Amino acid sequence: MNISIKYLTYLYNLYYRCLFAMILFYMVLYLLNADLFKAHTFYVFPLFVAPYLLYYGICFAFVHMLLRAPRHQWVWIGLCGLLILGSFWIVKSYYYVLLPAFNIVFYSEWKEHHTWILLKKIFQGLFFILLLIAVDYYCFNWLIMKVQSRRLERILRDRADSSLLSGHFLRRLYQLTAKGKKQVDVEVLDFFQSISNKLVAQQVRVALEEEWSFVKRMIALCPDRQFVIIGEEQVPQQIWNRSVPSLSLMTWIENAVTYSLDGSADPIVLNWTTEPDRTVLQIRNAISTASITKGTGNGLRLVNRLYESCQNDRVHLDYTVDDQSFFSVKLSFFK
């Protein structure tokens, strides 16, 4: 069951849920009485159902006040009792006195035997209203449990994937930065310390600005590859504040360096572009067929799974291969 969290915000608000149920109630009443009101003007039916909707709104409020303030439950139960007792006189005055004064008549002249008929309708309406409130309450709680379970599963999965990516990345990073060196220099050790601090913090997501600063530090540690950064100054600050999975951009850089050609004249290009509805980062590198056959693809697979959890944050990820010669990662941040 794929439920987008942001669309559930309205369901947390009791006013929206009450309004939704009242609209549903209105439609049900209209379908049940459609033949009776076809020949009447448009405002007649709303006047007919107004007491039903008002009755539902008051009952909805009382029930949720009772659930939220159980210590004052007898107060709310007493008010509900007064509502039921008083509704007879209110409904009678509305249909048999107020509306007829404006020449709007739904029922024949009041007779004594109408008392039990009206009471029966009031209790039938009360039963239906309480049934609708109960359906709203239990369906909402079921939906919230479902969403919270999915959210917990996603958090646990992201933590597991982030841990796997950390181990994969550190091993490949050491191979990359220590390549061709007899001993690891201070700059590399400092970078490893910074990465270790990130892993200790156990942050699954970090700000894009922070991840980008580590990318540029990592680029400086790869002297055997050419890098070209385009359009960085065009990126608006609100995009830098967006969150991305930790180590994801650095994994793409490590992947580009590992699988590109040694001594290639084609640089690894990091290109930022700004469009009306999005800001896009594209990382493009030439492909070495010999290097690809040695890889497992675990890094990209883990990063891809982490970005699946970012879809609700208006972030989209694409991988493309151009002419079997260039590999591109395109990360889009929608506004």
Side-chain angles (χ1 to χ4, degrees):
M1 183 178 181
N2 186 16
I3 303 172
S4 180
I5 305 299
K6 63 179 181 180
Y7 294 122
L8 293 176
T9 304
Y10 293 109
L11 293 181
Y12 284 96
N13 191 312
L14 290 177
Y15 296 107
Y16 287 112
R17 285 165 55 193
C18 181
L19 180 61
F20 174 77
M22 288 174 73
I23 293 172
L24 181 63
F25 196 16
Y26 182 93
M27 294 173 62
V28 170
L29 290 174
Y30 181 79
L31 292 174
L32 293 175
N33 300 276
D35 294 336
L36 299 175
F37 292 93
K38 282 183 178 179
H40 294 81
T41 52
F42 70 92
Y43 60 83
V44 173
F45 182 72
L47 289 174
F48 175 75
V49 299
Y52 292 90
L53 299 180
L54 180 62
Y55 202 44
Y56 175 82
I58 295 173
C59 288
F60 187 90
F62 279 173
V63 168
H64 283 281
M65 287 176 182
L66 177 63
L67 293 172
R68 292 186 174 212
R71 288 182 295 181
H72 303 92
Q73 59 181 352
W74 293 112
V75 175
W76 302 118
I77 292 174
L79 289 174
C80 288
L82 290 175
L83 173 65
I84 295 171
L85 294 174
S87 60
F88 174 83
W89 304 106
I90 295 171
V91 172
K92 179 184 175 182
S93 299
Y94 179 78
Y95 284 116
Y96 290 92
V97 179
L98 179 62
L99 291 183
F102 294 92
N103 296 321
I104 301 174
V105 180
F106 292 112
Y107 303 105
S108 60
E109 188 178 349
W110 178 261
K111 303 293 183 181
E112 286 300 322
H113 69 276
H114 289 166
T115 300
W116 294 108
I117 296 175
L118 183 57
L119 284 173
K120 181 181 177 181
K121 287 186 176 182
I122 289 174
F123 280 103
Q124 285 176 343
L126 178 62
F127 173 78
F128 183 77
I129 286 170
L130 292 178
L131 180 63
L132 192 58
I133 292 173
V135 169
D136 166 82
Y137 176 76
Y138 287 107
C139 286
F140 174 74
N141 283 317
W142 173 83
L143 189 61
I144 291 302
M145 288 294 295
K146 195 75 174 178
V147 170
Q148 289 177 343
S149 297
R150 286 188 64 247
R151 183 180 294 167
L152 180 59
E153 289 174 4
R154 187 182 66 184
I155 290 172
L156 294 175
R157 188 197 69 183
D158 286 352
R159 287 193 178 276
D161 288 344
S162 184
S163 298
L164 290 172
L165 181 62
S166 301
H168 173 86
F169 176 76
L170 283 177
R171 177 177 59 83
R172 299 292 291 272
L173 180 63
Y174 177 79
Q175 295 172 351
L176 186 120
T177 54
K179 184 179 179 181
K181 296 181 180 179
K182 294 182 179 180
Q183 60 181 8
V184 180
D185 55 31
V186 175
E187 188 177 4
V188 173
L189 289 175
D190 182 61
F191 183 68
F192 264 91
Q193 183 62 52
S194 300
I195 296 296
S196 299
N197 292 339
K198 284 171 64 71
L199 300 182
V200 170
Q202 294 185 340
Q203 291 179 297
V204 176
R205 296 191 189 184
V206 296
L208 175 62
E209 188 172 22
E210 177 184 336
E211 183 76 2
W212 181 250
S213 67
F214 276 93
V215 165
K216 292 198 289 186
R217 289 181 62 184
M218 183 176 174
I219 288 173
L221 298 176
C222 304
D224 59 338
R225 291 292 190 275
Q226 298 181 47
F227 289 88
V228 176
I229 299 177
I230 303 171
E232 178 185 0
E233 66 283 352
Q234 300 175 5
V235 181
Q237 185 57 46
Q238 60 265 30
I239 298 297
W240 289 124
N241 294 335
R242 300 280 288 274
S243 64
V244 294
S246 181
L247 303 179
S248 58
L249 270 65
M250 286 185 281
T251 299
W252 290 329
I253 298 301
E254 176 270 323
N255 186 78
V257 173
T258 301
Y259 298 125
S260 60
L261 295 167
D262 287 330
S264 172
D266 295 309
I268 298 172
V269 179
L270 290 77
N271 185 20
W272 289 96
T273 55
T274 302
E275 301 176 15
D277 63 334
R278 74 193 77 180
T279 298
V280 180
L281 169 63
Q282 183 180 34
I283 302 174
R284 188 170 186 266
N285 63 277
I287 300 173
S288 170
T289 307
S291 297
I292 290 177
T293 56
K294 299 177 183 178
T296 63
N298 287 335
L300 291 182
R301 183 169 62 252
L302 290 170
V303 170
N304 193 47
R305 286 173 56 177
L306 287 168
Y307 272 97
E308 287 177 359
S309 300
C310 298
Q311 292 178 356
N312 290 333
D313 298 332
R314 306 183 307 281
V315 178
H316 184 70
L317 174 62
D318 276 324
Y319 297 128
T320 58
V321 177
D322 303 326
D323 300 327
Q324 300 298 316
S325 300
F326 291 91
F327 180 77
S328 295
V329 177
K330 182 179 287 187
L331 183 64
S332 301
F333 297 90
F334 289 87
K335 296 180 180 178

